[in-house]
């Protein structure tokens, strides 16, 4: 059903291909490094990033450089875009705006050129990737319920769309009935617990969110990422403990708003 290996330049394509999906790192270097170590041990075939590498956190430059090293592909998140787009930044709340001003001070021209090179939505052969909903007139681009998800299905034609943005690991599925309009009542939704593979049925189309590496908001403070297994046709959330106190004090010491540090301790 899904074979993104060829696209990602894997010459030695095996029957088992596994891809890690990371998202919403938000300048949290301890979380990113812990996730990178975890992914290393899983021996994945590729890592894809769903955006918001920067914003909120104290180490945007280091996180951008790590992502450039490890990710086969990365899409542009709204916080990434706000670094070079004042209109995007103007939509932010006070804490997010303060963090973007801090982030701009931390990044050099190369970092910003890299961010400018990223696209907000991409079809990668058999799957699509986007930070937020590809349908922007839905009232909200946060895909957190069946109504928003139903509209988002009109924005892609592949079997799977991988998104971030809500910082909550969640899956939406709907029967594949061609590209007719999807009604909210036809969309099934499941919050994704750790380590429990979601089996992907070939007759369904999915919107899959791996949660957030650097600022989880589902009540679990551990870093989250997703693993797609194209042989088992499964998507599994992994949770990765990291040094939250190091991230906490890095935020305080950078002079960023206290709230951004506190929320890491509670995963909110
Ligand atoms: Zn985010």
């Amino acid at each position: 059903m899904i074979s993104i290996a060829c696209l990602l330049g894997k010459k030695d394509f095996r029957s088992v291909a596994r891809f890690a999906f990371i998202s919403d790192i938000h300048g949290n270097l301890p979380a990113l490094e812990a996730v990178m170590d975890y992914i290393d041990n899983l021996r994945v075939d590729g890592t894809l990033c769903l955006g918001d590498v920067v914003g909120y956190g104290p180490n945007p430059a280091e996180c951008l450089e790590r992502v450039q090293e490890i990710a086969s592909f990365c899409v542009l998140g709204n916080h990434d875009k706000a670094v070079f787009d004042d209109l995007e930044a103007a939509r932010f709340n006070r804490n997010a705006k303060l963090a973007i001003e801090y982030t701009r001070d931390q990044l050099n021209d190369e970092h910003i050129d890299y961010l400018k090179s990223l696209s907000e939505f991409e079809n990668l052969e058999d799957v699509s990737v986007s930070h937020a909903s590809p349908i922007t007139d839905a009232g909200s681009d946060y895909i957190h319920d069946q109504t928003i998800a139903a509209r988002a299905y009109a924005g892609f034609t592949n079997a799977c769309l991988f998104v971030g943005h809500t910082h909550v690991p969640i899956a939406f599925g709907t029967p594949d009935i061609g590209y007719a309009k999807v009604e909210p009542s036809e969309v099934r939704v499941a919050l994704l617990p750790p380590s429990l593979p979601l089996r992907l049925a070939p007759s369904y189309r999915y919107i899959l969110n791996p949660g957030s590496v650097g600022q989880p908001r589902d009540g679990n403070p551990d870093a989250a990422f997703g693993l797609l297994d194209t042989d088992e046709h499964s998507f599994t959330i992994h949770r990765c403990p990291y040094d939250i106190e190091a991230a906490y004090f890095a935020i305080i010491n950078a002079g960023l708003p206290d709230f951004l540090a506190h929320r890491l301790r509670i995963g909110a």
Side-chain angles (χ1 to χ4, degrees):
M1 175 178 63
I2 300 156
S3 65
I4 50 180
C6 310
L7 177 100
L8 297 177
K10 291 280 305 170
K11 302 248 179 335
D12 56 338
F13 177 58
R14 295 173 288 123
S15 63
V16 179
R18 305 196 304 164
F19 297 91
F21 286 83
I22 59 175
S23 190
D24 295 281
I25 297 155
H26 285 297
N28 184 340
L29 189 61
L32 178 59
E33 288 186 332
V35 163
M36 283 170 61
D37 285 348
Y38 195 126
I39 289 173
D40 234 21
N41 289 327
L42 292 174
R43 302 190 170 281
V44 300
D45 297 276
T47 297
L48 294 94
C49 178
L50 301 169
D52 275 4
V53 180
V54 306
Y56 294 136
N59 295 108
E62 295 87 342
C63 288
L64 265 181
E65 287 160 16
R66 297 288 197 291
V67 165
Q68 282 180 270
E69 282 164 30
I70 59 160
S72 318
F73 195 85
C74 183
V75 288
L76 184 74
N78 54 321
H79 287 256
D80 306 321
K81 188 176 180 182
V83 169
F84 60 84
D85 185 323
D86 288 337
L87 278 178
E88 191 70 43
R91 297 195 184 111
F92 284 5
N93 65 34
R94 186 180 142 76
N95 285 331
K97 263 189 199 144
L98 287 169
I100 283 301
E101 283 166 23
Y102 168 89
T103 301
R104 286 174 175 172
D105 286 343
Q106 300 293 311
L107 300 183
N108 62 31
D109 289 348
E110 277 173 41
H111 296 132
I112 291 171
D113 285 345
Y114 172 69
L115 290 176
K116 285 181 175 171
S117 75
L118 304 178
S119 53
E120 294 178 58
F121 174 89
E122 200 71 41
N123 289 309
L124 299 178
E125 205 165 80
D126 293 351
V127 305
S128 301
V129 285
S130 180
H131 180 66
S133 173
I135 301 294
T136 51
D137 65 347
S140 169
D141 61 0
Y142 289 84
I143 309 178
H144 55 71
D145 64 26
Q146 286 105 317
T147 303
I148 310 277
R151 298 197 59 151
Y153 276 106
F156 67 103
T157 53
N158 277 323
C160 286
L161 169 69
F162 290 88
V163 296
H165 202 34
T166 65
H167 299 208
V168 173
I170 197 167
F172 300 90
T174 192
D176 186 358
I177 48 167
Y179 302 118
K181 188 170 178 288
V182 176
E183 296 297 335
S185 59
E186 295 165 338
V187 179
R188 297 181 67 183
V189 57
L191 290 167
L192 297 175
S195 308
L196 189 68
L198 173 78
R199 302 286 170 192
L200 304 173
S203 56
Y204 264 62
R205 296 176 69 221
Y206 293 92
I207 298 171
L208 301 169
N209 188 325
S212 168
V213 170
Q215 195 193 79
R217 294 181 191 163
D218 62 340
N220 179 348
D222 290 343
F225 70 95
L227 186 73
L228 175 73
D229 188 313
T230 63
D231 188 52
E232 282 185 354
H233 294 178
S234 66
F235 183 66
T236 308
I237 297 298
H238 291 273
R239 299 308 286 250
C240 179
Y242 74 97
D243 191 345
I244 292 174
E245 291 310 294
Y248 179 99
F249 285 107
I251 289 174
I252 301 291
N253 292 336
L256 288 160
D258 290 3
F259 170 73
L260 298 176
H262 290 303
R263 68 191 308 176
L264 297 185
R265 286 181 171 165
I266 54 172

